[in-house]
Amino acid sequence: IGAAAIVEERRLGTLERLLTTRLTASELFFGKWLASVSRGFLQTFILLALSYAVFQIFTPLSFLECLLIALVFAMAGSSIGLMIASIARTQDAATWIGVFVTMTMTIMGGTFFTIAKDSVLYPFSKISVNGYANDALKTIINEGGTITDVWLELAIIAGVAVGGMIISRILFKAIPQGK
């Protein structure tokens, strides 16, 4: 949704008008990313807080650890959304690319069903950032692990966030054929 909104803002000239202020293209880009991270984290915070209150599956510490995982995951998801916004030329293209990427990552990441390690799908599950987030959350919630037990998953998700930011900033244009 965020990718489609940015493409539409580019088409309507909203981003160009924002560049007439003191904002640089990088500041505009970072602001869009930060807004997306905030939205994603807030949604996850609400869901985790409700599950904490209703199902009581967390300790206070595991709740905070899950919030950290959610924050890093929101950062990665926002970076992926900005990459989509950077390459899509129409709002429809951004929407459909976003739907395809989201559904692929969700399915291949084991969100709907568990992917066994001896399965044909297992190597593909390692491409999905969702898989790493799901593994980290399962370790914390189901297995009683701590944040130190999921450092590798967090590092991979953070790597996607940073790599996605770098790639999308290189590709990001606020003005078609412009800066």
Side-chain angles (χ1 to χ4, degrees), residues 128-141:
S128 171
V129 71
N130 287 47
Y132 295 102
N134 285 335
D135 289 347
L137 290 170
K138 286 176 191 173
T139 299
I140 300 290
I141 297 168

Side-chain angles (χ1 to χ4, degrees), residues 83-175:
M83 281 194 293
I84 293 168
S86 297
I87 62 171
R89 296 295 165 234
T90 67
Q91 189 175 12
D92 284 343
T95 299
W96 284 108
I97 294 169
V99 166
F100 176 78
V101 168
T102 301
M103 290 290 102
T104 302
M105 286 194 322
T106 302
I107 292 167
M108 299 312 287
T111 302
F112 296 125
F113 53 87
T114 302
I115 298 175
K117 290 189 180 197
D118 60 348
S119 165
V120 174
L121 294 177
Y122 185 74
F124 297 107
S125 73
K126 293 300 162 191
I127 297 171
S128 171
V129 71
N130 287 47
Y132 295 102
N134 285 335
D135 289 347
L137 290 170
K138 286 176 191 173
T139 299
I140 300 290
I141 297 168
N142 295 346
E143 299 168 18
T146 65
I147 206 72
T148 57
D149 298 324
V150 297
W151 70 268
L152 180 60
E153 289 88 349
L154 272 178
I156 290 169
I157 298 167
V160 169
V162 171
M165 284 289 289
I166 292 168
I167 291 168
S168 57
R169 180 57 193 108
I170 291 168
L171 299 174
F172 182 77
K173 304 285 185 237
I175 307 166

Side-chain angles (χ1 to χ4, degrees), residues 4-90:
I6 291 172
V7 170
E8 184 65 8
E9 288 177 353
R10 185 184 302 122
R11 187 186 71 76
L12 294 173
T14 306
L15 296 179
E16 185 176 4
R17 285 192 294 276
L18 285 171
L19 288 175
T20 63
T21 66
R22 293 183 203 176
L23 287 175
T24 65
S26 292
E27 290 169 336
L28 176 62
F29 173 81
F30 184 72
K32 293 292 183 183
W33 178 78
L34 195 57
S36 180
V37 170
S38 300
R39 237 183 351 264
F41 180 71
L42 180 62
Q43 291 170 345
T44 309
F45 174 81
I46 291 168
L47 291 173
L48 287 173
L50 287 172
S51 65
Y52 180 78
V54 175
F55 300 115
Q56 300 174 353
I57 58 174
F58 299 108
T59 65
L61 180 59
S62 67
F63 176 73
L64 293 175
E65 290 171 330
C66 288
L67 286 178
L68 176 63
I69 295 166
L71 178 61
V72 176
F73 184 66
M75 293 165 67
S78 297
S79 294
I80 292 167
L82 280 175
M83 281 194 293
I84 293 168
S86 297
I87 62 171
R89 296 295 165 234
T90 67

